Amino acid sequence: MMDTSRRLILIGERRIYLHITATMTPYKWSIDHAESTFDAERLLQKKNYHTGLIILESHSSSHHQDIEILINTGKTLWIALVDKKSLLTKDIRRLIGQLFHTYITFPLDEEKANNLLENAAEMARIMPNDETAKPVTTHKENDYCMVGESATIRRLYRDIGKIASVDAPVLITGESGTGKELTARAIHDNSPRKKGPFNAVNCGALPSGLIQSELFGHEKGAFTGATHRKEGIIESTCKGTLFLDEIGDLPLDMQVNLLRFLENHRVLRVGGLTEIPVDVRVLAATHVNLEKAVQEGNFRDDLYHRINVLQINTPPLRERPEDIEPLATFFFRKFTAEKATKVRGFSRESLVLMRQYAWPGNIRELINRVRRAMVMCDKRLITPDDLGLERRQYASRHRLTLEQARDMAECDAIKAALARNKSKVIHAARELGVSRVTLYRLIDKHGIDRCCGTAADEADLCSANIIRLPSS
């Protein structure tokens, strides 16, 4: 009776199948043949194969997508068959790294091929059907850096660089989840105060009865329970930066005290008699419209003008779709200890649909969806279902103007043409039916790095997109 662990399925040209069969039969390997992934699916429904071989060719991107779907939905351990020239292309390396157990190069080294096949068969034999539980590593929630290369995020980098060099108060605006605290920390880290403390306070989360004591401190015996002198958050931030998040939620009576501090840079502890000078830079953030709050009487007009000397806006994720893939890849790598063992990355469909989704929760929502998908995914690549995204959710498309939709399509077409033509502009221009001069102009217009190639290639270069502002 034949050892089923030495039975393989090979997908690819028949002439290569015949060559592989003739070469490996002496090593007692039995190989079934499928011309295409469609034929392979039918074979896989009839028989169980622990391991399989797939012939990879660098010029067939549509074939790669079929391979991705086949491998991602099955339990077979796959080995790539590839010539050394094709192995040099980024798309092939990405495919092998994400989906395959290992690879074998042409021309075939019989001994090495046999050893690799035996190793794969052993691995397939001991692999469990379901992922076993493993400990989860805890990550610091503030352990992030700014990621992105889009024109929108580059403007934010430039604004941070300008604002960091001066010592005036700053108002950071933007939707919830866009990274206002990260922006505040970047301002601090690139300012002359970078060696001092950075303290963040969520004004909406402070207990109403303790806000003054928390911010300004108190003397011993100032109230019941004040058994010792306490230094307030403002005082403990001396020589550094104080970040007041959601300042719009600060009660009106506390707004008066904060205004006084911003005017004279002195704090008076609760129960104290002497004001204490404090050297602190104040950054404030809000997701609400403070001008409207002033008109409605919910925020002091004089405090608004005091904190709004400089203003910076953090863009929502939907306005920087080019950064979604680098961000998703960055967080995938950050939380790699939490993922199921077999998960290697995102499927192409996931990357496309993530770019189309509106992301109402912005980066915070992206982090949550990626982390949840990494834990729950039971395939090699994360699918839209793992992310909890469905096509019917992409109502964000109607929010695009016709010009924006055209720009996105134009940008994607140019990136794809450059990738197919190995970044050779003259060949890409010929394929797109435009002049070389026109293509150069469009590359500049969309800020495309023609060395990066496709979006999939850009994910491999994600580390190059993790931008840290230069130190002051």
Side-chain angles (χ1 to χ4, degrees), residues 152-198:
T152 302
I153 201 67
R154 283 187 175 277
R155 281 196 297 272
L156 179 63
Y157 296 152
R158 288 195 296 270
D159 291 344
I160 289 172
K162 294 174 184 176
I163 287 173
S165 63
V166 297
D167 210 33
V170 181
L171 178 62
I172 305 170
T173 60
E175 296 177 12
S176 181
T178 52
K180 293 188 289 295
E181 183 172 346
L182 191 62
T183 299
R185 186 172 289 277
I187 292 172
H188 169 76
D189 289 343
N190 291 275
S191 74
R193 295 178 177 270
K194 62 185 177 183
K195 293 183 180 179
F198 175 88

Side-chain angles (χ1 to χ4, degrees), residues 277-291:
V278 182
D279 178 17
V280 171
R281 184 184 190 183
V282 175
L283 310 179
T286 180
H287 73 280
V288 301
N289 187 331
L290 285 186
E291 290 185 358

Side-chain angles (χ1 to χ4, degrees), residues 354-373:
M354 278 196 290
R355 180 164 175 156
Q356 295 175 347
Y357 181 55
W359 297 107
N362 293 295
I363 296 174
R364 187 178 292 124
E365 181 184 0
L366 175 64
I367 295 171
N368 292 344
R369 286 186 182 274
V370 168
R371 290 185 75 175
R372 182 167 60 247

Side-chain angles (χ1 to χ4, degrees), residues 114-133:
N114 180 59
N115 290 337
L116 288 173
L117 289 172
E118 287 183 339
N119 172 267
E122 288 297 323
M123 286 294 295
R125 187 181 293 115
I126 66 172
M127 281 177 63
N129 289 328
D130 299 309
E131 295 295 336
T132 55

Side-chain angles (χ1 to χ4, degrees), residues 138-144 334-335 367 371:
T138 302
H139 296 264
K140 294 179 181 179
E141 292 299 327
N142 63 352
D143 188 20
Y144 298 106
K334 176 177 173 57
F335 300 113
I367 295 171
R371 290 185 75 175

Side-chain angles (χ1 to χ4, degrees), residues 254-431:
M254 278 308 302
Q255 292 178 25
V256 176
N257 292 340
L258 181 61
L259 175 63
R260 180 172 176 78
F261 162 70
L262 290 172
E263 288 175 339
N264 63 17
H265 286 274
R266 292 173 178 271
V267 296
L268 180 65
R269 295 181 186 141
V270 177
L273 300 175
T274 306
E275 289 186 326
I276 303 165
V278 182
D279 178 17
V280 171
R281 184 184 190 183
V282 175
L283 310 179
T286 180
H287 73 280
V288 301
N289 187 331
L290 285 186
E291 290 185 358
K292 184 178 180 182
V294 169
Q295 294 171 359
E296 294 173 349
N298 296 323
F299 199 83
R300 291 183 63 96
D301 178 71
D302 44 7
L303 178 58
Y304 170 69
H305 292 296
R306 179 64 68 174
I307 63 175
N308 192 27
V309 178
L310 298 171
Q311 188 176 126
I312 189 169
N313 180 262
T314 55
L317 197 52
R318 64 180 175 275
E319 291 183 6
R320 42 185 293 215
E322 308 95 316
D323 295 331
I324 290 173
E325 183 176 341
L327 279 164
T329 306
F330 172 74
F331 294 123
F332 180 88
R333 290 174 179 172
K334 176 177 173 57
F335 300 113
T336 186
E338 298 181 7
K339 70 180 179 66
T341 306
K342 67 170 70 172
V343 181
R344 301 290 183 86
F346 300 91
S347 69
R348 295 189 184 191
E349 186 183 14
S350 292
L351 294 173
V352 169
L353 298 186
M354 278 196 290
R355 180 164 175 156
Q356 295 175 347
Y357 181 55
W359 297 107
N362 293 295
I363 296 174
R364 187 178 292 124
E365 181 184 0
L366 175 64
I367 295 171
N368 292 344
R369 286 186 182 274
V370 168
R371 290 185 75 175
R372 182 167 60 247
M374 289 171 67
V375 174
M376 303 306 294
C377 179
D378 56 3
K379 306 179 184 67
R380 288 180 179 268
L381 297 180
I382 292 171
T383 66
D385 286 341
D386 297 320
L387 290 162
L389 301 177
E390 302 173 15
R391 286 189 178 276
R392 63 181 174 82
Q393 290 179 315
Y394 306 137
S396 62
R397 278 293 186 189
H398 79 274
R399 299 184 181 183
L400 294 177
T401 65
L402 183 58
E403 183 180 1
Q404 288 172 328
R406 285 171 177 162
D407 282 346
M408 285 181 64
E410 187 175 70
C411 182
D412 290 342
I414 292 169
K415 284 183 177 180
L418 287 169
R420 285 192 295 270
N421 291 279
K422 295 180 171 56
S423 298
K424 292 182 173 62
V425 174
I426 189 168
H427 297 315
R430 188 179 298 126
E431 178 184 315

